[in-house]
Amino acid sequence: MSSPDTEELATTPPPADGPKAPESGRFWRGLTGSLAAGMVVLAVCVLAIAGICLLTGAPGPGPLMLVGHPVAAVLALLAQRVADTRNGRVAGFAGLGVVVSVTAALSLFWWS
């Protein structure tokens, strides 16, 4: 014997959870997100050290470093936002943009 509640459950499809993100790009998005976040932390540290050096009179980072790090961080964050919101090749190329931005900043300011 069935009740009206069980008949409704039997005929009603389960609710859809919405579109699922593909699992294939999960590692790549995590890697590029970590690189973008690390670039932001590095930019904040460089600016903080420049402020400390300004207050103490010690020599600090030059103007190129003070401009280059925040610019690289903003570029990396914008590219990461595209990588997180899009799928397919666009997301892959946006992640590549994050890697290029971070690599350029590190090679120009730290590894030279």
Side-chain angles (χ1 to χ4, degrees):
M1 180 157 108
S2 64
S3 70
D5 291 336
T6 57
E7 284 182 28
E8 181 183 349
L9 288 175
T11 58
T12 305
D17 293 336
K20 301 257 185 195
E23 295 292 324
S24 62
R26 191 173 184 180
F27 174 76
W28 179 245
R29 286 183 179 155
L31 176 68
T32 57
S34 297
L35 288 173
M39 191 68 226
V40 170
V41 169
L42 182 61
V44 168
C45 288
V46 167
L47 292 174
I49 289 171
I52 292 170
C53 289
L54 183 66
L55 291 175
T56 61
L64 189 61
M65 283 186 93
L66 294 177
V67 172
H69 281 82
V71 167
V74 167
L75 289 175
L77 285 177
L78 290 175
Q80 183 61 35
R81 181 167 172 90
V82 171
D84 284 341
T85 57
R86 302 287 299 267
N87 288 325
R89 287 186 178 178
V90 175
F93 283 127
L96 186 62
V98 172
V99 172
V100 167
S101 174
V102 170
T103 303
L106 291 177
S107 64
L108 289 173
F109 302 126
W110 294 94
W111 296 332
S112 59

